[in-house]
Amino acid sequence: MTGPPLRVVLVDDERLVRTALRAILASEPGIEVVGEAADGDEAIGTVRALRPDVVLMDVRMPRVDGIRATERLTDAGEGAPRVLVLTTFENDAYVYDALRAGAHGFLLKRATAEELVRGVRTVARGDSLLFPAAVRALAAHHARGRRAEALTARLTDRETAVLRLMAAGLTNGEIAEHFTVGPATAKTHVAAVLAKLGARDRTQAVILAYEHGVVTPHEDLSDEPG
């Protein structure tokens, strides 16, 4: 691998969990664990001092939990780290709140070593790590009768289609392939969606899509118009 290693900070109130995560990531080329924290409050100072690329953040911790810590970290604007939250249960409401607070995805604590490493690399390169079915189920509890039209009225037909594919978990490259356009064009479409929705990033746009029912449960997006 070329370039500097990905710098990671681990945040979990269980020392054994941090030790296990460190062992997995330290064995991977191109990834360096630069620090640890035992709660959200400690995480703020550690991240500001070490400036990692990715923070692996437990959502349930004493004192300051992962949600509040994520919110404070992502509010830093440019230069803020990518946050990947860790949870025991995929239907944990804490996960949804963390995503709303600015986390870029989530992983279950029972994830394999390969899934953990892939997750860190995914969010580090600017993509979101979401599991559509799980996020849709969480968002359904927060929709509060919002209508899809309230969101899609701001978008062109192509941008609505792009948002739906984002909600299905497609990367910019996969969106480009779907529409048979170049990567730069797909990136432009995604940027337009974010700007028109006032979304901070892809994750926030996807959350809005689920909340407003732009994508419905069990919907097959494989035939999305090109």
Side-chain angles (χ1 to χ4, degrees), residues 177-192:
E177 290 181 9
H178 181 89
F179 291 116
T180 320
V181 298
T185 299
K187 185 176 181 179
T188 297
H189 286 321
V190 170

Side-chain angles (χ1 to χ4, degrees), residues 18-61:
R18 299 199 307 271
T19 299
L21 293 173
R22 177 181 283 274
I24 292 170
L25 295 176
S27 67
E28 284 295 315
I31 297 180
E32 179 184 3
V33 178
V34 296
E36 300 181 12
D39 61 49
D41 188 48
E42 184 181 347
I44 302 300
T46 300
V47 169
R48 288 175 177 169
L50 299 176
R51 301 181 65 82
D53 302 298
V54 177
V55 178
L56 275 176
M57 179 82 73
D58 186 18
V59 290
R60 292 178 178 266
M61 295 181 292

Side-chain angles (χ1 to χ4, degrees), residues 158-193:
R158 172 56 63 90
E159 289 163 354
T160 297
V162 168
L163 176 60
R164 286 162 54 81
L165 293 177
M166 290 165 62
L170 273 65
T171 65
N172 285 3
E174 291 167 335
I175 291 172
E177 290 181 9
H178 181 89
F179 291 116
T180 320
V181 298
T185 299
K187 185 176 181 179
T188 297
H189 286 321
V190 170
V193 170

